[in-house]
Amino acid sequence: MTEPRPDSRPTLEAVAAHAGVSRATASRVVNGGDGVRAHLADRVRTAIRELGYIPNHAARTLVTRRTGAVAVIIPEPEIRVFSDPFFSRQVRGISKELTSHDTQLVLLLVEDRGDYDRIERYLAGGHVDGALAFSLHADDPLPAIIGRLGMPTVFGGRPGWTAGPAEQDGVAYVDADNRGGARDAVRYLLGQGRRRIAHIAGPLDQTSAADRLSGYRDALAAAGPELFAEGDFTPAGGARAMAELLERDAGIDAVFAGNDLMATGALRVLRESGRSVPQDVALVGFDDAEPVAESADPPLTTVRQDIEGMGRLMARLLMDSLNGGPEERIAPRPVITATELVRRASA
């Protein structure tokens, strides 16, 4: 058998010679192809390890027509993505799953509307095999871009956009039971004897915020007056909404915030107004995203969603679609994950 020179990078031919197989057989094993008998494939893999062979990515792409990369698109400004633990946990889950498939993650963020042209050029350039996208707003052009390109995609969150493919029932997505989780939170507050329960909603052009508002309304029906203000999923937005709600009704005795970050902003305003939590006003958030809920003072009662698990599931659905044949493509159906009310000192 021929050994490569010590000063040269091992070639596919060297791997084939070391394993005692043809170059074509070695190539099929390296590129993940079928039709190689198990004992021959084992010999090729052993040769790869012993020689320290590193596949040529460009050549592998030509053979498999796969780049080994997936775009993760978040239509939010950089400052929001890196300050909200929701995003880091979702990306962490996606990254773990893609790593298990030996696939690279390419993160694409949107600072302004002009970035969509850049993203469309990048996706059209064949740099990635598919896309994962979440935190979309109703007027987001991303679904239309993806539809034009025919890019395999799994979305995070229930579709609610106004642009793009009309057949939203056929869109693959992963979401939490936002409406049910919100309903549980408000029913819990009612069970604690609270009757003037306000809601700080997230941006209502996002389906997660709209669904949580619907859950609030479901639980509150016939139980008390409806009172809500729209925030933006940030502490500052929660503070502004809380101040607005107190101006409208000074007798509020409970608040359900659409996420934990807004709950921390509400907590600050309640404290500044002389109200104690939970004695005067009970407070419940949504997400249970580390470290926000547990590090609040008092720690937040909140609705937990498995953020990292949803990220992994999104990536798994996409990889299943990319790796399977036409009959194994992901079914065009939603995947809704359960939520859980976590009781802490704020309520």
Side-chain angles (χ1 to χ4, degrees), residues 22-36:
S22 69
R23 187 189 186 283
T25 296
S27 177
R28 282 200 296 274
V29 175
V30 168
N31 293 309
D34 298 325
V36 179

Side-chain angles (χ1 to χ4, degrees), residues 47-127:
I48 290 170
R49 288 194 301 271
E50 291 178 351
L51 298 180
Y53 172 74
I54 300 173
N56 183 303
H57 178 72
R60 183 173 181 174
T61 298
L62 287 173
V63 173
T64 64
R65 300 192 181 276
R66 292 277 296 276
T67 66
V70 164
V72 175
I73 310 171
I74 309 176
E76 298 286 357
E78 180 179 301
I79 190 171
R80 168 121 196 268
V81 171
F82 291 108
S83 62
D84 188 335
F86 174 89
F87 296 108
S88 63
R89 291 184 69 180
Q90 188 125 50
V91 171
R92 185 191 313 162
I94 290 170
S95 178
K96 286 181 178 178
E97 187 65 26
L98 292 182
T99 297
S100 73
H101 291 272
D102 194 22
T103 298
Q104 301 302 310
L105 181 158
V106 180
L107 184 62
L108 304 176
L109 306 180
V110 177
E111 288 290 332
D112 55 51
R113 302 292 282 193
D115 284 333
Y116 286 104
D117 291 336
R118 170 181 58 84
I119 289 173
E120 182 167 10
R121 288 195 304 272
Y122 184 82
L123 297 179
H127 302 291

Side-chain angles (χ1 to χ4, degrees), residues 269-314:
V269 170
L270 289 169
R271 202 169 270 147
E272 290 171 352
S273 72
R275 292 167 172 84
S276 62
V277 175
Q279 289 82 1
D280 298 323
V281 181
L283 180 62
V284 177
F286 202 110
D287 282 345
D288 198 28
E290 299 171 355
V292 177
E294 289 188 350
S295 63
D297 183 21
L300 288 174
T301 293
T302 187
V303 178
R304 175 182 294 157
Q305 56 176 333
D306 185 3
I307 302 169
E308 186 172 324
M310 289 192 295
R312 292 202 73 142
L313 183 53
M314 287 171 62

